[in-house]
Amino acid sequence: MKLSENKIETFAIELFKQQAYEYVYGPVMAPDGERQERDAYTDVTLKQRLDHAVRMLNPSIPEDARQQAVREVINPASPDLIINNETFHSMLTNGVDVEYQKDGDTRGTRSG
């Protein structure tokens, strides 16, 4: 059997569907799609979904700290793609360090 990108993608989609993830066909969420979820084809992160997940995972930290975490995920710090991918993976699996003010003190936490 010849392995192709299409076969790998189809297999991955089926695995995620079995784990109760919602599958949305790419053109449907495209900038000109029925359920637009990105402003441009170059947007690789679905910001509304990321915002929602960060809010749900971190209800006890202030909104500005949650937005700081989202900005760090969306804006890679390195011009090197491999380093950015490794950093992105680390942030998704380990969380993002953020700081915020509470009761006059600077607090730090890891936003998941």
Side-chain angles (χ1 to χ4, degrees):
M1 174 174 92
K2 183 178 178 189
L3 196 57
S4 68
E5 181 179 352
N6 186 50
K7 288 179 183 177
I8 294 170
E9 181 178 334
T10 301
F11 178 73
I13 289 168
E14 290 307 314
L15 283 177
F16 282 120
K17 286 165 103 177
Q18 289 172 13
Q19 296 179 33
Y21 283 89
E22 176 191 11
Y23 169 71
V24 180
Y25 183 54
V28 172
M29 66 172 64
D32 54 352
E34 297 169 29
R35 289 174 45 193
Q36 176 186 352
E37 292 195 44
R38 59 185 72 198
D39 295 327
Y41 285 100
T42 55
D43 295 343
V44 295
T45 306
L46 301 177
K47 188 175 181 307
Q48 290 174 329
R49 289 184 186 217
L50 179 61
D51 282 335
H52 176 74
V54 170
R55 196 169 32 274
M56 297 303 292
L57 292 168
N58 303 280
S60 64
I61 65 173
E63 179 63 22
D64 60 330
R66 291 193 298 258
Q67 289 306 310
Q68 177 188 347
V70 168
R71 282 190 304 274
E72 286 192 41
V73 170
I74 290 176
N75 299 310
S78 172
D80 186 297
L81 182 60
I82 293 174
I83 291 172
N84 285 337
N85 285 343
E86 290 171 347
T87 303
F88 182 78
H89 178 263
S90 176
M91 286 188 283
L92 291 181
T93 56
N94 301 319
V96 178
D97 291 328
V98 294
E99 289 186 351
Y100 59 93
Q101 295 290 317
K102 184 173 182 181
D103 301 326
D105 295 323
T106 299
R107 307 280 173 105
T109 191
R110 187 163 284 226
S111 171

